[in-house]
Amino acid sequence: MSSDRAPDALVVRYGEIALKGGMRAEFERRLCANLRVALQPLPRLEIQRTRGRILVRAGAPLGPAAVAAARVFGVTSVSEVHEVAPEEDAIREQARALTAAALERSHAGRARVSFGVRVNRANPLFPLRSNELASLLGADLQQRHPQLHVNLDAPELNVEVDVRDERALLFVERQPGPGGLPVGTLGRGMCLLSGGIDSPVAAWLAMRRGLRVEFISFLSPPHTGAQTVAKVRRLTEHLATWQPVTWLHMVPMTAVQDALRAATPEPLHTVLDRRAMFRMASRLARRRHARALVTGESLGQVASQTLENIGCTEQAARMPVLRPLITYDKVDTMALARRIGTLPISELPAPDSCTVWLPRSPVLRSRIGEAQAAEEKVPLEDLERQALLEIESLRIPT
Ligand code: ATP
Ligand code: MG
């Protein structure tokens, strides 16, 4: 057996052991469906659920597939595995080949490399116990590679063997996945996406919690232009790589904002804009069968995010508002934005419809009654309906 034989399959592991009340079956069904979409370009794709894991096979190299699978929400880790007959000789040969290849690839020239062999035996007919097989294999590998020394707690090289009824699976790496719940398990959410740093991160966290997220972005042409459109589009395209299908809805709200500006007190403008956004987003969400709004709000970050202003804004929503970042510090949000790759897009310069007209002294503690009284002076119902008629919707992938 040559050391560079390609892996035969992927093992995809998933967590959320605590799921109850039918959630587990839904989780597994969605996870397989989402994996299928993420791995779609592969020929002869087979996805099989077995003993709390998923085995993936395809008629193509599995390296890129492992990377794609390790991005699917719900996945805790992915390994490229070699399959052999569940017999001691075949397992030993494969363990030797994998170890030699791993040492050459990752630890070449090192005088000492810590290693461990872990065996999991699910086949009761296999003649050796797990730890017997592990020590036999360990001793054999040490004899061939004197630089190996045993460390079972935190080995640099971990040779793992999973002995099942019909075959044994061997692997030396576990690529970590993002965890969470498969997208769609919890239904749909409508994320209010600005071009800022926070809302894309909020959307990602909501997706990781099982929501399929659609995006609504409010634009103020001509104050916001092609740059702003390009930015929300790029953010959406990037976030779309974590779920099967993504929609971006762009709504021009200049007429709503102009009318509010003409008839209401300046300190209230930002809160009133937000209330209009929440109403329009709720209306669109209903149409799209979304059951929650998602925003990037974070307590106390800006004037519009005091508890009073969040309360006043929320009262205009017609469904639950999820705020995954509500307790995050900006540095934590930025670190996550960097990790998921949205930060460089968010940092591109482009005007945003809320910052086009920032009041000089925005109200810090707005009251619902005060906002409602101001809104009565403006034909918002008509203006908001009109704005939603001018919506432009984009499906990704197209
Ligand atoms: P972000 O970085 O997401 O813009 P922020 O900290 O700048 O957030 P605000 O500008 O006060 O905060 O916006 C709060 C939330 O309101 C945003 O996270 C987003 O969900 C929503 N929002 C703001 N402006 C828009 C917009 N033009 N279109 C859609 N949603 C918006
Ligand atoms: Mg913003």
Side-chain angles (χ1 to χ4, degrees):
M1 196 165 306
S2 93
S3 64
D4 53 6
R5 183 168 76 91
D8 302 295
L10 300 181
V11 167
V12 177
R13 302 176 195 84
Y14 49 92
E16 297 290 346
I17 305 298
L19 289 177
K20 293 190 182 130
M23 284 305 290
R24 189 158 186 93
E26 172 64 7
F27 178 108
E28 290 176 332
R29 197 181 62 72
R30 284 275 173 190
L31 184 56
C32 287
N34 293 354
L35 275 169
R36 190 167 288 285
V37 174
L39 303 177
Q40 212 156 38
L42 290 181
R44 298 191 300 288
L45 183 63
E46 277 175 46
I47 294 181
Q48 187 196 352
R49 232 160 61 196
T50 122
R51 296 174 195 275
R53 287 160 209 201
I54 294 168
L55 267 183
V56 176
R57 285 171 220 281
L62 291 165
V67 174
R71 282 177 103 249
V72 172
F73 290 125
V75 171
T76 51
S77 70
V78 179
S79 295
E80 297 177 45
V81 303
H82 285 80
E83 291 179 327
V84 297
E87 292 155 11
E88 192 188 326
D89 288 351
I91 293 172
R92 187 188 316 106
E93 281 305 312
Q94 188 59 57
R96 287 176 179 176
L98 276 177
T99 303
L103 285 173
E104 201 172 304
R105 197 173 52 237
S106 315
H107 311 281
R110 297 260 312 275
R112 259 171 93 80
V113 176
S114 63
F115 93 118
V117 179
R118 283 210 293 207
V119 175
N120 169 27
R121 187 186 64 156
N123 177 351
L125 298 178
F126 191 78
L128 295 170
R129 291 165 170 283
S130 299
N131 48 11
E132 287 169 344
L133 179 60
S135 8
L136 276 179
L137 294 174
D140 178 69
L141 294 171
Q142 264 184 313
Q143 205 168 32
R144 302 173 75 88
H145 303 283
Q147 70 269 47
L148 292 177
H149 69 100
V150 178
N151 173 350
L152 292 178
D153 296 328
E156 293 163 279
L157 172 62
N158 206 354
V159 180
E160 299 194 57
V161 187
D162 198 356
V163 187
R164 307 191 168 206
D165 294 344
E166 65 293 6
R167 57 187 167 245
L169 307 178
L170 287 94
F171 53 93
V172 288
E173 254 156 327
R174 291 176 183 237
Q175 296 189 42
L181 300 171
V183 166
T185 311
L186 270 287
R188 243 180 249 195
M190 183 65 70
C191 177
L192 285 81
L193 182 73
S194 70
I197 291 169
D198 301 338
S199 39
V201 176
W204 188 87
L205 287 169
M207 285 179 185
R208 196 175 70 174
R209 230 31 234 165
L211 279 190
R212 187 181 136 191
V213 174
E214 294 200 2
F215 296 94
I216 182 168
S217 193
F218 295 96
L219 304 170
S220 313
H223 313 288
T224 64
Q227 263 181 326
T228 307
V229 172
K231 192 173 173 181
V232 291
R233 207 183 148 140
R234 279 188 62 187
L235 284 169
T236 307
E237 281 164 355
H238 187 75
L239 291 163
T241 59
W242 277 282
Q243 62 181 9
V245 179
T246 304
W247 284 87
L248 167 63
H249 309 280
M250 288 172 286
V251 182
M253 71 175 296
T254 320
V256 173
Q257 289 179 305
D258 285 345
L260 283 169
R261 233 133 250 122
T264 62
E266 182 179 306
L268 284 180
H269 287 169
T270 305
V271 169
L272 295 177
D273 279 355
R274 283 294 147 70
R275 285 172 56 88
M277 287 184 189
F278 273 35
R279 279 189 299 268
M280 290 188 274
S282 303
R283 197 168 272 162
L284 180 71
R286 287 245 175 91
R287 253 190 244 160
R288 303 286 313 164
H289 309 288
R291 276 185 253 279
L293 303 183
V294 178
T295 76
E297 287 163 303
S298 160
L299 200 53
Q301 193 175 93
V302 287
S304 58
Q305 293 170 17
T306 61
L307 209 44
E308 289 82 355
N309 288 349
I310 285 178
C312 183
T313 310
E314 177 167 272
Q315 190 266 337
R318 312 282 154 84
M319 55 184 63
V321 181
L322 307 183
R323 302 176 177 87
L325 301 179
I326 195 70
T327 62
Y328 274 49
D329 286 348
K330 195 73 184 184
V331 282
D332 300 331
T333 303
M334 286 184 69
L336 188 47
R338 193 171 292 117
R339 183 155 79 73
I340 66 177
T342 53
L343 189 64
I345 313 174
S346 291
E347 283 178 340
L348 295 172
D352 156 350
S353 60
C354 270
T355 46
V356 173
W357 302 273
L358 268 186
R360 275 160 301 190
S361 54
V363 64
L364 284 180
R365 308 192 193 292
S366 59
R367 291 189 312 266
I368 293 170
E370 175 188 34
Q372 285 172 328
E375 285 168 348
E376 270 165 27
K377 298 185 214 134
V378 185
L380 285 172
E381 173 84 18
D382 288 350
L383 289 166
E384 289 170 8
R385 269 185 201 288
Q386 186 57 38
L388 285 176
L389 288 175
E390 292 167 25
I391 202 163
E392 209 183 303
S393 297
L394 193 75
R395 182 189 193 272
I396 297 163
T398 41

